[in-house]
Amino acid sequence: MLWDAEQFYDNVALDEVAAKAVEMDFPVVGLAMAFQAHAGQRILRATKCFSRTIGDITASLLPGCTLSGHLVRVLLYHVLEGAHFRFQLNAPFQYVDDLAAAICGSEEEIEEVAVASGIFISEEFRKMDLPISKKSMILPRNLGAAVRAATRLKAAGVALRVVQEGRDL
């Protein structure tokens, strides 16, 4: 399963990241340094010259900043941890702004875990005001279980596409 949130970085506020990081006992000095590096003004450099500062500091995470993917882990950690321990998802991981996990077992186990974990993840996204993108999908090893799970998820208000191959662009 691959979960993608629409306009992810625009929907993640820096103050939410900071509050969650403090709640998780991140070192405050390191956190402050990370935010300074992330939200600091940018300049462009060309041969023998520099631009004036560019870009306004916003309240959201900056797409394209390599630090954004690391900072957002603070917000997504509880989702990955919860999905892994509640539903025994195999290898849940975050890649930039996407969550993914594999589900193993019999057809029935795959279907049940896909539905239960899918509802859990979508509810956690909704709590964080992160709309689930139409790019979210199930890439099945077992087509029957995936189609049944997608049908049940759709009935529960969670729309995931079943695809034979997929990528996030």
Side-chain angles (χ1 to χ4, degrees), residues 3-13 16-17 60-63 68-76 94-99 125 128-133 135:
W3 294 88
D4 182 78
E6 279 186 37
Q7 298 179 324
F8 184 80
Y9 289 112
D10 293 334
N11 289 305
V12 174
E16 291 174 22
V17 174
S60 64
L61 290 175
L62 301 169
S68 292
H70 299 292
L71 289 172
V72 80
R73 287 177 193 259
V74 170
L75 290 180
L76 298 176
Q94 172 205 346
Y95 180 74
V96 188
D97 64 336
D98 299 325
L99 299 181
F125 271 44
M128 294 185 289
D129 294 323
L130 296 173
I132 297 170
S133 164
K135 295 188 289 184

PDB file of all heavy atoms in Angstrom, residues 3-13 16-17 60-63 68-76 94-99 125 128-133 135:
ATOM      1  N   TRP A   3       0.561   5.451   0.451  1.00  0.00           N
ATOM      2  CA  TRP A   3      -0.291   6.570   0.861  1.00  0.00           C
ATOM      3  C   TRP A   3       0.378   7.875   0.503  1.00  0.00           C
ATOM      4  O   TRP A   3       1.521   8.108   0.846  1.00  0.00           O
ATOM      5  CB  TRP A   3      -0.516   6.516   2.370  1.00  0.00           C
ATOM      6  CG  TRP A   3      -1.297   5.319   2.759  1.00  0.00           C
ATOM      7  CD1 TRP A   3      -0.821   4.078   3.061  1.00  0.00           C
ATOM      8  CD2 TRP A   3      -2.706   5.223   2.857  1.00  0.00           C
ATOM      9  NE1 TRP A   3      -1.845   3.231   3.348  1.00  0.00           N
ATOM     10  CE2 TRP A   3      -3.020   3.908   3.232  1.00  0.00           C
ATOM     11  CE3 TRP A   3      -3.745   6.125   2.663  1.00  0.00           C
ATOM     12  CZ2 TRP A   3      -4.321   3.482   3.420  1.00  0.00           C
ATOM     13  CZ3 TRP A   3      -5.040   5.697   2.856  1.00  0.00           C
ATOM     14  CH2 TRP A   3      -5.314   4.387   3.222  1.00  0.00           C
ATOM     15  N   ASP A   4      -0.369   8.735  -0.178  1.00  0.00           N
ATOM     16  CA  ASP A   4       0.133  10.037  -0.581  1.00  0.00           C
ATOM     17  C   ASP A   4      -0.862  11.093  -0.107  1.00  0.00           C
ATOM     18  O   ASP A   4      -2.069  10.905  -0.246  1.00  0.00           O
ATOM     19  CB  ASP A   4       0.274  10.081  -2.106  1.00  0.00           C
ATOM     20  CG  ASP A   4       0.843  11.379  -2.596  1.00  0.00           C
ATOM     21  OD1 ASP A   4       2.067  11.550  -2.490  1.00  0.00           O
ATOM     22  OD2 ASP A   4       0.068  12.237  -3.066  1.00  0.00           O
ATOM     23  N   ALA A   5      -0.371  12.183   0.469  1.00  0.00           N
ATOM     24  CA  ALA A   5      -1.242  13.282   0.904  1.00  0.00           C
ATOM     25  C   ALA A   5      -1.157  14.411  -0.119  1.00  0.00           C
ATOM     26  O   ALA A   5      -0.075  14.739  -0.601  1.00  0.00           O
ATOM     27  CB  ALA A   5      -0.833  13.785   2.280  1.00  0.00           C
ATOM     28  N   GLU A   6      -2.312  15.007  -0.431  1.00  0.00           N
ATOM     29  CA  GLU A   6      -2.342  16.127  -1.370  1.00  0.00           C
ATOM     30  C   GLU A   6      -1.681  17.347  -0.753  1.00  0.00           C
ATOM     31  O   GLU A   6      -1.910  17.653   0.412  1.00  0.00           O
ATOM     32  CB  GLU A   6      -3.792  16.482  -1.728  1.00  0.00           C
ATOM     33  CG  GLU A   6      -4.385  15.601  -2.779  1.00  0.00           C
ATOM     34  CD  GLU A   6      -5.759  16.070  -3.211  1.00  0.00           C
ATOM     35  OE1 GLU A   6      -5.981  17.292  -3.288  1.00  0.00           O
ATOM     36  OE2 GLU A   6      -6.599  15.206  -3.448  1.00  0.00           O
ATOM     37  N   GLN A   7      -0.899  18.042  -1.552  1.00  0.00           N
ATOM     38  CA  GLN A   7      -0.236  19.276  -1.124  1.00  0.00           C
ATOM     39  C   GLN A   7       0.305  19.133   0.296  1.00  0.00           C
ATOM     40  O   GLN A   7       0.071  19.965   1.164  1.00  0.00           O
ATOM     41  CB  GLN A   7      -1.194  20.453  -1.229  1.00  0.00           C
ATOM     42  CG  GLN A   7      -1.643  20.697  -2.645  1.00  0.00           C
ATOM     43  CD  GLN A   7      -2.619  21.848  -2.766  1.00  0.00           C
ATOM     44  OE1 GLN A   7      -3.442  22.058  -1.891  1.00  0.00           O
ATOM     45  NE2 GLN A   7      -2.534  22.574  -3.855  1.00  0.00           N
ATOM     46  N   PHE A   8       1.021  18.054   0.494  1.00  0.00           N
ATOM     47  CA  PHE A   8       1.474  17.670   1.823  1.00  0.00           C
ATOM     48  C   PHE A   8       2.172  18.806   2.559  1.00  0.00           C
ATOM     49  O   PHE A   8       1.808  19.175   3.657  1.00  0.00           O
ATOM     50  CB  PHE A   8       2.399  16.459   1.701  1.00  0.00           C
ATOM     51  CG  PHE A   8       2.850  15.914   3.010  1.00  0.00           C
ATOM     52  CD1 PHE A   8       2.025  15.096   3.749  1.00  0.00           C
ATOM     53  CD2 PHE A   8       4.091  16.231   3.520  1.00  0.00           C
ATOM     54  CE1 PHE A   8       2.431  14.587   4.967  1.00  0.00           C
ATOM     55  CE2 PHE A   8       4.507  15.722   4.730  1.00  0.00           C
ATOM     56  CZ  PHE A   8       3.671  14.896   5.454  1.00  0.00           C
ATOM     57  N   TYR A   9       3.203  19.364   1.959  1.00  0.00           N
ATOM     58  CA  TYR A   9       3.997  20.366   2.667  1.00  0.00           C
ATOM     59  C   TYR A   9       3.208  21.639   2.946  1.00  0.00           C
ATOM     60  O   TYR A   9       3.450  22.315   3.948  1.00  0.00           O
ATOM     61  CB  TYR A   9       5.297  20.656   1.922  1.00  0.00           C
ATOM     62  CG  TYR A   9       6.250  19.492   2.013  1.00  0.00           C
ATOM     63  CD1 TYR A   9       6.577  18.735   0.904  1.00  0.00           C
ATOM     64  CD2 TYR A   9       6.806  19.130   3.236  1.00  0.00           C
ATOM     65  CE1 TYR A   9       7.436  17.656   1.004  1.00  0.00           C
ATOM     66  CE2 TYR A   9       7.667  18.049   3.352  1.00  0.00           C
ATOM     67  CZ  TYR A   9       7.973  17.327   2.229  1.00  0.00           C
ATOM     68  OH  TYR A   9       8.813  16.262   2.342  1.00  0.00           O
ATOM     69  N   ASP A  10       2.277  21.990   2.084  1.00  0.00           N
ATOM     70  CA  ASP A  10       1.442  23.171   2.336  1.00  0.00           C
ATOM     71  C   ASP A  10       0.505  22.956   3.519  1.00  0.00           C
ATOM     72  O   ASP A  10       0.017  23.914   4.112  1.00  0.00           O
ATOM     73  CB  ASP A  10       0.607  23.514   1.099  1.00  0.00           C
ATOM     74  CG  ASP A  10       1.465  23.972  -0.067  1.00  0.00           C
ATOM     75  OD1 ASP A  10       2.575  24.484   0.189  1.00  0.00           O
ATOM     76  OD2 ASP A  10       1.043  23.820  -1.216  1.00  0.00           O
ATOM     77  N   ASN A  11       0.221  21.712   3.837  1.00  0.00           N
ATOM     78  CA  ASN A  11      -0.715  21.393   4.917  1.00  0.00           C
ATOM     79  C   ASN A  11      -0.026  21.057   6.239  1.00  0.00           C
ATOM     80  O   ASN A  11      -0.693  20.671   7.189  1.00  0.00           O
ATOM     81  CB  ASN A  11      -1.606  20.218   4.501  1.00  0.00           C
ATOM     82  CG  ASN A  11      -2.591  20.624   3.433  1.00  0.00           C
ATOM     83  OD1 ASN A  11      -3.337  21.570   3.599  1.00  0.00           O
ATOM     84  ND2 ASN A  11      -2.581  19.925   2.316  1.00  0.00           N
ATOM     85  N   VAL A  12       1.289  21.171   6.286  1.00  0.00           N
ATOM     86  CA  VAL A  12       2.036  20.872   7.508  1.00  0.00           C
ATOM     87  C   VAL A  12       2.610  22.173   8.049  1.00  0.00           C
ATOM     88  O   VAL A  12       3.421  22.811   7.388  1.00  0.00           O
ATOM     89  CB  VAL A  12       3.160  19.847   7.241  1.00  0.00           C
ATOM     90  CG1 VAL A  12       4.013  19.655   8.478  1.00  0.00           C
ATOM     91  CG2 VAL A  12       2.562  18.519   6.802  1.00  0.00           C
ATOM     92  N   ALA A  13       2.182  22.561   9.234  1.00  0.00           N
ATOM     93  CA  ALA A  13       2.649  23.809   9.836  1.00  0.00           C
ATOM     94  C   ALA A  13       3.902  23.569  10.671  1.00  0.00           C
ATOM     95  O   ALA A  13       4.012  22.559  11.364  1.00  0.00           O
ATOM     96  CB  ALA A  13       1.545  24.408  10.701  1.00  0.00           C
ATOM     97  N   GLU A  16       3.300  22.954  14.347  1.00  0.00           N
ATOM     98  CA  GLU A  16       2.844  21.594  14.665  1.00  0.00           C
ATOM     99  C   GLU A  16       4.033  20.640  14.758  1.00  0.00           C
ATOM    100  O   GLU A  16       4.090  19.785  15.646  1.00  0.00           O
ATOM    101  CB  GLU A  16       1.869  21.082  13.598  1.00  0.00           C
ATOM    102  CG  GLU A  16       0.538  21.777  13.575  1.00  0.00           C
ATOM    103  CD  GLU A  16      -0.309  21.326  12.397  1.00  0.00           C
ATOM    104  OE1 GLU A  16      -0.066  20.224  11.851  1.00  0.00           O
ATOM    105  OE2 GLU A  16      -1.222  22.075  12.021  1.00  0.00           O
ATOM    106  N   VAL A  17       4.965  20.784  13.845  1.00  0.00           N
ATOM    107  CA  VAL A  17       6.170  19.948  13.864  1.00  0.00           C
ATOM    108  C   VAL A  17       6.951  20.208  15.156  1.00  0.00           C
ATOM    109  O   VAL A  17       7.371  19.270  15.836  1.00  0.00           O
ATOM    110  CB  VAL A  17       7.051  20.202  12.622  1.00  0.00           C
ATOM    111  CG1 VAL A  17       8.361  19.430  12.722  1.00  0.00           C
ATOM    112  CG2 VAL A  17       6.314  19.832  11.346  1.00  0.00           C
ATOM    113  N   SER A  60       4.568  26.985   6.661  1.00  0.00           N
ATOM    114  CA  SER A  60       4.531  25.562   6.314  1.00  0.00           C
ATOM    115  C   SER A  60       5.940  25.078   5.962  1.00  0.00           C
ATOM    116  O   SER A  60       6.864  25.855   5.803  1.00  0.00           O
ATOM    117  CB  SER A  60       3.579  25.326   5.142  1.00  0.00           C
ATOM    118  OG  SER A  60       4.045  25.984   3.991  1.00  0.00           O
ATOM    119  N   LEU A  61       6.062  23.765   5.841  1.00  0.00           N
ATOM    120  CA  LEU A  61       7.339  23.189   5.413  1.00  0.00           C
ATOM    121  C   LEU A  61       7.591  23.545   3.954  1.00  0.00           C
ATOM    122  O   LEU A  61       6.665  23.682   3.164  1.00  0.00           O
ATOM    123  CB  LEU A  61       7.321  21.673   5.590  1.00  0.00           C
ATOM    124  CG  LEU A  61       7.333  21.176   7.032  1.00  0.00           C
ATOM    125  CD1 LEU A  61       7.193  19.668   7.070  1.00  0.00           C
ATOM    126  CD2 LEU A  61       8.595  21.598   7.752  1.00  0.00           C
ATOM    127  N   LEU A  62       8.843  23.669   3.607  1.00  0.00           N
ATOM    128  CA  LEU A  62       9.221  24.070   2.253  1.00  0.00           C
ATOM    129  C   LEU A  62       9.414  22.851   1.360  1.00  0.00           C
ATOM    130  O   LEU A  62      10.283  22.021   1.629  1.00  0.00           O
ATOM    131  CB  LEU A  62      10.523  24.872   2.291  1.00  0.00           C
ATOM    132  CG  LEU A  62      10.500  26.145   3.137  1.00  0.00           C
ATOM    133  CD1 LEU A  62      11.910  26.690   3.312  1.00  0.00           C
ATOM    134  CD2 LEU A  62       9.592  27.179   2.506  1.00  0.00           C
ATOM    135  N   PRO A  63       8.605  22.717   0.303  1.00  0.00           N
ATOM    136  CA  PRO A  63       8.832  21.612  -0.624  1.00  0.00           C
ATOM    137  C   PRO A  63      10.191  21.789  -1.297  1.00  0.00           C
ATOM    138  O   PRO A  63      10.603  22.893  -1.598  1.00  0.00           O
ATOM    139  CB  PRO A  63       7.702  21.732  -1.648  1.00  0.00           C
ATOM    140  CG  PRO A  63       6.875  22.879  -1.247  1.00  0.00           C
ATOM    141  CD  PRO A  63       7.511  23.569  -0.093  1.00  0.00           C
ATOM    142  N   SER A  68      13.047  19.135   4.931  1.00  0.00           N
ATOM    143  CA  SER A  68      11.602  18.942   5.101  1.00  0.00           C
ATOM    144  C   SER A  68      11.239  17.481   5.326  1.00  0.00           C
ATOM    145  O   SER A  68      10.423  17.156   6.190  1.00  0.00           O
ATOM    146  CB  SER A  68      10.833  19.465   3.879  1.00  0.00           C
ATOM    147  OG  SER A  68      10.928  20.853   3.796  1.00  0.00           O
ATOM    148  N   GLY A  69      11.832  16.595   4.538  1.00  0.00           N
ATOM    149  CA  GLY A  69      11.553  15.165   4.679  1.00  0.00           C
ATOM    150  C   GLY A  69      11.921  14.624   6.043  1.00  0.00           C
ATOM    151  O   GLY A  69      11.266  13.724   6.563  1.00  0.00           O
ATOM    152  N   HIS A  70      12.952  15.186   6.641  1.00  0.00           N
ATOM    153  CA  HIS A  70      13.366  14.754   7.980  1.00  0.00           C
ATOM    154  C   HIS A  70      12.460  15.351   9.054  1.00  0.00           C
ATOM    155  O   HIS A  70      12.064  14.662   9.989  1.00  0.00           O
ATOM    156  CB  HIS A  70      14.823  15.136   8.237  1.00  0.00           C
ATOM    157  CG  HIS A  70      15.771  14.491   7.287  1.00  0.00           C
ATOM    158  ND1 HIS A  70      16.019  13.137   7.286  1.00  0.00           N
ATOM    159  CD2 HIS A  70      16.506  15.010   6.281  1.00  0.00           C
ATOM    160  CE1 HIS A  70      16.874  12.849   6.325  1.00  0.00           C
ATOM    161  NE2 HIS A  70      17.186  13.960   5.701  1.00  0.00           N
ATOM    162  N   LEU A  71      12.133  16.622   8.907  1.00  0.00           N
ATOM    163  CA  LEU A  71      11.289  17.274   9.914  1.00  0.00           C
ATOM    164  C   LEU A  71       9.900  16.649   9.975  1.00  0.00           C
ATOM    165  O   LEU A  71       9.324  16.502  11.048  1.00  0.00           O
ATOM    166  CB  LEU A  71      11.175  18.778   9.618  1.00  0.00           C
ATOM    167  CG  LEU A  71      12.429  19.606   9.860  1.00  0.00           C
ATOM    168  CD1 LEU A  71      12.234  21.024   9.341  1.00  0.00           C
ATOM    169  CD2 LEU A  71      12.790  19.616  11.339  1.00  0.00           C
ATOM    170  N   VAL A  72       9.376  16.268   8.835  1.00  0.00           N
ATOM    171  CA  VAL A  72       8.014  15.746   8.810  1.00  0.00           C
ATOM    172  C   VAL A  72       7.911  14.351   9.434  1.00  0.00           C
ATOM    173  O   VAL A  72       6.840  13.930   9.852  1.00  0.00           O
ATOM    174  CB  VAL A  72       7.452  15.778   7.377  1.00  0.00           C
ATOM    175  CG1 VAL A  72       7.958  14.605   6.563  1.00  0.00           C
ATOM    176  CG2 VAL A  72       5.946  15.813   7.403  1.00  0.00           C
ATOM    177  N   ARG A  73       9.024  13.665   9.560  1.00  0.00           N
ATOM    178  CA  ARG A  73       9.000  12.353  10.214  1.00  0.00           C
ATOM    179  C   ARG A  73       8.444  12.445  11.628  1.00  0.00           C
ATOM    180  O   ARG A  73       7.841  11.507  12.136  1.00  0.00           O
ATOM    181  CB  ARG A  73      10.400  11.735  10.247  1.00  0.00           C
ATOM    182  CG  ARG A  73      10.861  11.258   8.907  1.00  0.00           C
ATOM    183  CD  ARG A  73      12.288  10.730   8.978  1.00  0.00           C
ATOM    184  NE  ARG A  73      12.816  10.564   7.648  1.00  0.00           N
ATOM    185  CZ  ARG A  73      12.899   9.400   7.029  1.00  0.00           C
ATOM    186  NH1 ARG A  73      12.503   8.307   7.629  1.00  0.00           N
ATOM    187  NH2 ARG A  73      13.380   9.336   5.815  1.00  0.00           N
ATOM    188  N   VAL A  74       8.656  13.587  12.244  1.00  0.00           N
ATOM    189  CA  VAL A  74       8.140  13.816  13.590  1.00  0.00           C
ATOM    190  C   VAL A  74       6.617  13.652  13.597  1.00  0.00           C
ATOM    191  O   VAL A  74       6.046  13.038  14.498  1.00  0.00           O
ATOM    192  CB  VAL A  74       8.539  15.230  14.084  1.00  0.00           C
ATOM    193  CG1 VAL A  74       7.836  15.594  15.364  1.00  0.00           C
ATOM    194  CG2 VAL A  74      10.040  15.324  14.232  1.00  0.00           C
ATOM    195  N   LEU A  75       5.941  14.201  12.583  1.00  0.00           N
ATOM    196  CA  LEU A  75       4.480  14.117  12.524  1.00  0.00           C
ATOM    197  C   LEU A  75       3.979  12.741  12.098  1.00  0.00           C
ATOM    198  O   LEU A  75       2.898  12.331  12.492  1.00  0.00           O
ATOM    199  CB  LEU A  75       3.921  15.165  11.557  1.00  0.00           C
ATOM    200  CG  LEU A  75       4.022  16.612  11.987  1.00  0.00           C
ATOM    201  CD1 LEU A  75       3.421  17.514  10.924  1.00  0.00           C
ATOM    202  CD2 LEU A  75       3.323  16.829  13.313  1.00  0.00           C
ATOM    203  N   LEU A  76       4.757  12.059  11.278  1.00  0.00           N
ATOM    204  CA  LEU A  76       4.294  10.779  10.727  1.00  0.00           C
ATOM    205  C   LEU A  76       4.725   9.566  11.549  1.00  0.00           C
ATOM    206  O   LEU A  76       4.244   8.468  11.318  1.00  0.00           O
ATOM    207  CB  LEU A  76       4.781  10.629   9.282  1.00  0.00           C
ATOM    208  CG  LEU A  76       4.248  11.684   8.314  1.00  0.00           C
ATOM    209  CD1 LEU A  76       4.873  11.503   6.943  1.00  0.00           C
ATOM    210  CD2 LEU A  76       2.737  11.635   8.234  1.00  0.00           C
ATOM    211  N   GLN A  94       8.599   5.784   5.393  1.00  0.00           N
ATOM    212  CA  GLN A  94       8.249   7.079   4.838  1.00  0.00           C
ATOM    213  C   GLN A  94       9.284   7.424   3.797  1.00  0.00           C
ATOM    214  O   GLN A  94      10.481   7.292   4.039  1.00  0.00           O
ATOM    215  CB  GLN A  94       8.255   8.155   5.931  1.00  0.00           C
ATOM    216  CG  GLN A  94       8.084   9.548   5.383  1.00  0.00           C
ATOM    217  CD  GLN A  94       8.667  10.612   6.291  1.00  0.00           C
ATOM    218  OE1 GLN A  94       8.981  10.353   7.434  1.00  0.00           O
ATOM    219  NE2 GLN A  94       8.833  11.785   5.764  1.00  0.00           N
ATOM    220  N   TYR A  95       8.841   7.860   2.640  1.00  0.00           N
ATOM    221  CA  TYR A  95       9.743   8.368   1.616  1.00  0.00           C
ATOM    222  C   TYR A  95       9.266   9.773   1.268  1.00  0.00           C
ATOM    223  O   TYR A  95       8.191   9.932   0.681  1.00  0.00           O
ATOM    224  CB  TYR A  95       9.767   7.473   0.376  1.00  0.00           C
ATOM    225  CG  TYR A  95      10.691   7.991  -0.681  1.00  0.00           C
ATOM    226  CD1 TYR A  95      12.071   7.888  -0.533  1.00  0.00           C
ATOM    227  CD2 TYR A  95      10.198   8.628  -1.801  1.00  0.00           C
ATOM    228  CE1 TYR A  95      12.929   8.399  -1.489  1.00  0.00           C
ATOM    229  CE2 TYR A  95      11.045   9.138  -2.767  1.00  0.00           C
ATOM    230  CZ  TYR A  95      12.404   9.019  -2.599  1.00  0.00           C
ATOM    231  OH  TYR A  95      13.245   9.537  -3.537  1.00  0.00           O
ATOM    232  N   VAL A  96      10.004  10.764   1.673  1.00  0.00           N
ATOM    233  CA  VAL A  96       9.663  12.172   1.524  1.00  0.00           C
ATOM    234  C   VAL A  96       8.299  12.417   2.154  1.00  0.00           C
ATOM    235  O   VAL A  96       8.201  12.498   3.364  1.00  0.00           O
ATOM    236  CB  VAL A  96       9.751  12.648   0.056  1.00  0.00           C
ATOM    237  CG1 VAL A  96       9.579  14.154  -0.022  1.00  0.00           C
ATOM    238  CG2 VAL A  96      11.070  12.238  -0.583  1.00  0.00           C
ATOM    239  N   ASP A  97       7.225  12.487   1.357  1.00  0.00           N
ATOM    240  CA  ASP A  97       5.904  12.762   1.920  1.00  0.00           C
ATOM    241  C   ASP A  97       4.934  11.591   1.747  1.00  0.00           C
ATOM    242  O   ASP A  97       3.734  11.750   1.905  1.00  0.00           O
ATOM    243  CB  ASP A  97       5.309  14.019   1.292  1.00  0.00           C
ATOM    244  CG  ASP A  97       5.058  13.873  -0.196  1.00  0.00           C
ATOM    245  OD1 ASP A  97       5.729  13.037  -0.832  1.00  0.00           O
ATOM    246  OD2 ASP A  97       4.205  14.598  -0.729  1.00  0.00           O
ATOM    247  N   ASP A  98       5.439  10.428   1.448  1.00  0.00           N
ATOM    248  CA  ASP A  98       4.589   9.257   1.252  1.00  0.00           C
ATOM    249  C   ASP A  98       4.845   8.220   2.340  1.00  0.00           C
ATOM    250  O   ASP A  98       5.955   8.108   2.850  1.00  0.00           O
ATOM    251  CB  ASP A  98       4.877   8.598  -0.106  1.00  0.00           C
ATOM    252  CG  ASP A  98       4.600   9.529  -1.267  1.00  0.00           C
ATOM    253  OD1 ASP A  98       3.649  10.325  -1.173  1.00  0.00           O
ATOM    254  OD2 ASP A  98       5.340   9.471  -2.258  1.00  0.00           O
ATOM    255  N   LEU A  99       3.808   7.452   2.641  1.00  0.00           N
ATOM    256  CA  LEU A  99       3.945   6.311   3.537  1.00  0.00           C
ATOM    257  C   LEU A  99       3.694   5.055   2.726  1.00  0.00           C
ATOM    258  O   LEU A  99       2.847   5.041   1.841  1.00  0.00           O
ATOM    259  CB  LEU A  99       2.909   6.377   4.672  1.00  0.00           C
ATOM    260  CG  LEU A  99       2.965   7.561   5.612  1.00  0.00           C
ATOM    261  CD1 LEU A  99       1.875   7.441   6.680  1.00  0.00           C
ATOM    262  CD2 LEU A  99       4.316   7.669   6.261  1.00  0.00           C
ATOM    263  N   PHE A 125      -4.477  10.556   8.999  1.00  0.00           N
ATOM    264  CA  PHE A 125      -4.278  11.660   8.053  1.00  0.00           C
ATOM    265  C   PHE A 125      -5.346  12.730   8.258  1.00  0.00           C
ATOM    266  O   PHE A 125      -5.052  13.917   8.263  1.00  0.00           O
ATOM    267  CB  PHE A 125      -4.317  11.145   6.606  1.00  0.00           C
ATOM    268  CG  PHE A 125      -2.992  10.691   6.057  1.00  0.00           C
ATOM    269  CD1 PHE A 125      -2.122   9.911   6.803  1.00  0.00           C
ATOM    270  CD2 PHE A 125      -2.610  11.042   4.786  1.00  0.00           C
ATOM    271  CE1 PHE A 125      -0.906   9.501   6.291  1.00  0.00           C
ATOM    272  CE2 PHE A 125      -1.393  10.644   4.259  1.00  0.00           C
ATOM    273  CZ  PHE A 125      -0.540   9.868   5.015  1.00  0.00           C
ATOM    274  N   MET A 128      -4.816  15.017  11.112  1.00  0.00           N
ATOM    275  CA  MET A 128      -3.769  16.006  10.842  1.00  0.00           C
ATOM    276  C   MET A 128      -4.162  16.948   9.700  1.00  0.00           C
ATOM    277  O   MET A 128      -3.340  17.722   9.214  1.00  0.00           O
ATOM    278  CB  MET A 128      -2.455  15.298  10.507  1.00  0.00           C
ATOM    279  CG  MET A 128      -1.863  14.525  11.656  1.00  0.00           C
ATOM    280  SD  MET A 128      -0.244  13.808  11.282  1.00  0.00           S
ATOM    281  CE  MET A 128      -0.682  12.504  10.127  1.00  0.00           C
ATOM    282  N   ASP A 129      -5.416  16.873   9.243  1.00  0.00           N
ATOM    283  CA  ASP A 129      -5.901  17.689   8.121  1.00  0.00           C
ATOM    284  C   ASP A 129      -5.073  17.484   6.860  1.00  0.00           C
ATOM    285  O   ASP A 129      -4.779  18.431   6.127  1.00  0.00           O
ATOM    286  CB  ASP A 129      -5.946  19.178   8.490  1.00  0.00           C
ATOM    287  CG  ASP A 129      -6.978  19.471   9.559  1.00  0.00           C
ATOM    288  OD1 ASP A 129      -8.051  18.840   9.533  1.00  0.00           O
ATOM    289  OD2 ASP A 129      -6.701  20.316  10.439  1.00  0.00           O
ATOM    290  N   LEU A 130      -4.674  16.243   6.616  1.00  0.00           N
ATOM    291  CA  LEU A 130      -3.930  15.892   5.411  1.00  0.00           C
ATOM    292  C   LEU A 130      -4.855  15.133   4.471  1.00  0.00           C
ATOM    293  O   LEU A 130      -5.185  13.972   4.721  1.00  0.00           O
ATOM    294  CB  LEU A 130      -2.714  15.024   5.753  1.00  0.00           C
ATOM    295  CG  LEU A 130      -1.636  15.672   6.611  1.00  0.00           C
ATOM    296  CD1 LEU A 130      -0.580  14.647   7.009  1.00  0.00           C
ATOM    297  CD2 LEU A 130      -1.000  16.839   5.879  1.00  0.00           C
ATOM    298  N   PRO A 131      -5.321  15.774   3.394  1.00  0.00           N
ATOM    299  CA  PRO A 131      -6.193  15.067   2.454  1.00  0.00           C
ATOM    300  C   PRO A 131      -5.447  13.963   1.715  1.00  0.00           C
ATOM    301  O   PRO A 131      -4.321  14.167   1.270  1.00  0.00           O
ATOM    302  CB  PRO A 131      -6.662  16.150   1.486  1.00  0.00           C
ATOM    303  CG  PRO A 131      -5.856  17.360   1.790  1.00  0.00           C
ATOM    304  CD  PRO A 131      -5.062  17.143   3.020  1.00  0.00           C
ATOM    305  N   ILE A 132      -6.067  12.804   1.613  1.00  0.00           N
ATOM    306  CA  ILE A 132      -5.454  11.673   0.918  1.00  0.00           C
ATOM    307  C   ILE A 132      -5.563  11.904  -0.589  1.00  0.00           C
ATOM    308  O   ILE A 132      -6.636  12.167  -1.115  1.00  0.00           O
ATOM    309  CB  ILE A 132      -6.120  10.348   1.319  1.00  0.00           C
ATOM    310  CG1 ILE A 132      -5.891  10.096   2.810  1.00  0.00           C
ATOM    311  CG2 ILE A 132      -5.597   9.195   0.490  1.00  0.00           C
ATOM    312  CD1 ILE A 132      -6.696   8.959   3.366  1.00  0.00           C
ATOM    313  N   SER A 133      -4.431  11.793  -1.252  1.00  0.00           N
ATOM    314  CA  SER A 133      -4.358  12.027  -2.685  1.00  0.00           C
ATOM    315  C   SER A 133      -4.943  10.854  -3.470  1.00  0.00           C
ATOM    316  O   SER A 133      -4.928   9.707  -3.016  1.00  0.00           O
ATOM    317  CB  SER A 133      -2.891  12.215  -3.069  1.00  0.00           C
ATOM    318  OG  SER A 133      -2.706  12.088  -4.448  1.00  0.00           O
ATOM    319  N   LYS A 135      -3.508   9.638  -5.785  1.00  0.00           N
ATOM    320  CA  LYS A 135      -2.350   8.828  -6.172  1.00  0.00           C
ATOM    321  C   LYS A 135      -2.130   7.671  -5.197  1.00  0.00           C
ATOM    322  O   LYS A 135      -1.295   6.810  -5.455  1.00  0.00           O
ATOM    323  CB  LYS A 135      -1.094   9.684  -6.247  1.00  0.00           C
ATOM    324  CG  LYS A 135      -1.126  10.737  -7.330  1.00  0.00           C
ATOM    325  CD  LYS A 135       0.203  11.430  -7.481  1.00  0.00           C
ATOM    326  CE  LYS A 135       0.494  12.333  -6.314  1.00  0.00           C
ATOM    327  NZ  LYS A 135       1.748  13.096  -6.460  1.00  0.00           N
TER     328      LYS A 135
END
